[in-house]
Amino acid sequence: MNDYIIEAKNIEKTLGSGAGKVQALRGIDLSLRRGELTLLMGPSGSGKTTLLLILGCMLAPSSGQVSVCGVSTVDADEEGLAKIRRDHIGFVFQSYHLFPTLTAAQNVQLALDIRGERGRKARERSCQALKMVGLEHKTNAHPHELSGGEQQRVAIARAIVANPSAVLADEPTAALDSTNGQTLMRILASIAHERGSAVLVVTHDPRVLPFADRIVQIEDGRLVEGRSDEPQLARMPKAANLGM
Ligand code: ADP
Ligand code: MG
């Protein structure tokens, strides 16, 4: 069985036009494996978000190929890409994007609603996802009653409730303090290790390094380290060894 959930080959991406044209990605090869948490690190403007959006089929590359669960997306139209996203991918962003008038459980349930799943079963699945992120006692709380870390955990529950093969997170700890950031990374690592999802975390926060199975560096739209699909950097201390 192919362990790669998302495979991207020779990705180029040009953004903007005229004098504002930027070559955001240059010849990127990157694959995400099931059960592995990959960190994508690099300075601001290096192309991290652009790459995450392309891996998540939210943005088409200018050239190159993306496959999700063995299926090439080259010929997919908008609707086809939306289906791939619904079937396989969960997203988490720096700002939590929760609906303020909905409870935590209702926010999570929205992800099932767009997949046509409603009713008691959907409610149960949402509560289970909230349990997975340690918020089973907050199912009826509204976002303003939750801390930033808790709101981000609701966003993670929403990302995983439909059981995606891959979870892509763009700077998920950027707005959080160290303790909340570590709790969040522990949750993302358990989604990789216990549920077997491929997890990609975009960050420039070195505090999250111990949670990585694999680290990939990007600079000026090129991968500069961890270019291949080599497994984790053996020298990186694991979170467990640091008492986290
Ligand atoms: P990062 O997430 O690493 O900060 P981005 O992927 O957001 O980087 O951006 C990569 C490069 O592309 C940057 O130089 C940025 O200014 C540029 N860029 C991003 N979005 C657009 C856009 N819509 N139009 C033009 N340039 C863009
Ligand atoms: Mg970014």
Side-chain angles (χ1 to χ4, degrees):
M1 191 173 65
N2 185 349
D3 266 352
Y4 292 115
I5 303 289
I6 301 180
E7 295 179 272
K9 294 218 171 78
N10 207 13
I11 300 297
E12 307 270 339
K13 183 64 181 177
T14 307
L15 290 167
S17 58
K21 205 162 163 172
V22 174
Q23 183 155 14
L25 299 176
R26 308 157 191 261
I28 301 258
D29 289 329
L30 181 62
S31 298
L32 303 180
R33 216 184 314 239
R34 77 175 70 244
E36 204 167 74
L37 188 149
T38 302
L39 285 186
L40 175 61
M41 305 193 76
S44 184
S46 56
K48 302 182 299 295
T49 295
T50 307
L51 180 55
L52 178 136
L53 295 176
I54 288 175
L55 293 170
C57 304
M58 296 250 261
L59 186 67
S62 304
S63 65
Q65 286 219 9
V66 177
S67 300
V68 178
C69 294
V71 177
S72 168
T73 63
V74 165
D75 295 323
D77 57 12
E78 268 312 309
E79 203 176 313
L81 291 174
K83 178 166 166 42
I84 291 170
R85 292 196 297 268
R86 275 199 308 274
D87 288 350
H88 297 294
I89 299 169
F91 293 95
V92 179
F93 297 99
Q94 177 180 335
S95 47
Y96 325 120
H97 296 310
L98 301 181
F99 286 89
T101 56
L102 301 182
T103 65
Q106 288 167 338
N107 266 285
V108 174
Q109 219 170 315
L110 272 185
L112 296 174
D113 199 65
I114 59 162
R115 292 168 171 86
E117 259 190 68
R118 303 196 173 93
R120 195 164 60 91
K121 184 94 190 300
R123 165 89 193 169
E124 278 169 17
R125 283 187 82 182
S126 302
C127 290
Q128 265 167 18
L130 283 167
K131 190 170 180 194
M132 167 105 199
V133 299
L135 288 180
E136 62 270 40
H137 55 302
K138 299 277 184 173
T139 52
N140 291 321
H142 286 81
H144 73 269
E145 298 169 296
L146 299 171
S147 71
E150 288 170 338
Q151 289 184 57
Q152 190 60 301
R153 279 147 68 189
V154 174
I156 291 185
R158 184 179 54 192
I160 62 168
V161 68
N163 242 334
S165 322
V167 175
L168 308 181
D170 196 356
E171 313 235 14
T173 64
L176 303 181
D177 63 26
S178 180
T179 308
N180 278 302
Q182 288 188 7
T183 302
L184 201 86
M185 287 306 299
R186 245 194 312 269
I187 291 168
L188 287 166
S190 76
I191 289 166
H193 301 153
E194 286 164 32
R195 294 171 66 116
S197 302
V199 178
L200 177 74
V201 178
V202 164
T203 185
H204 50 230
D205 180 357
R207 294 174 304 183
V208 310
L209 280 173
F211 296 91
D213 294 310
R214 182 176 166 222
I215 298 165
V216 176
Q217 303 262 7
I218 185 169
E219 261 176 43
D220 287 334
R222 285 183 216 281
L223 297 191
V224 292
E225 256 175 59
R227 196 180 326 224
S228 68
D229 294 318
E230 284 157 22
Q232 56 190 268
L233 304 182
R235 66 180 184 280
M236 287 307 305
K238 300 292 290 185
N241 298 339
L242 297 179
M244 288 178 182

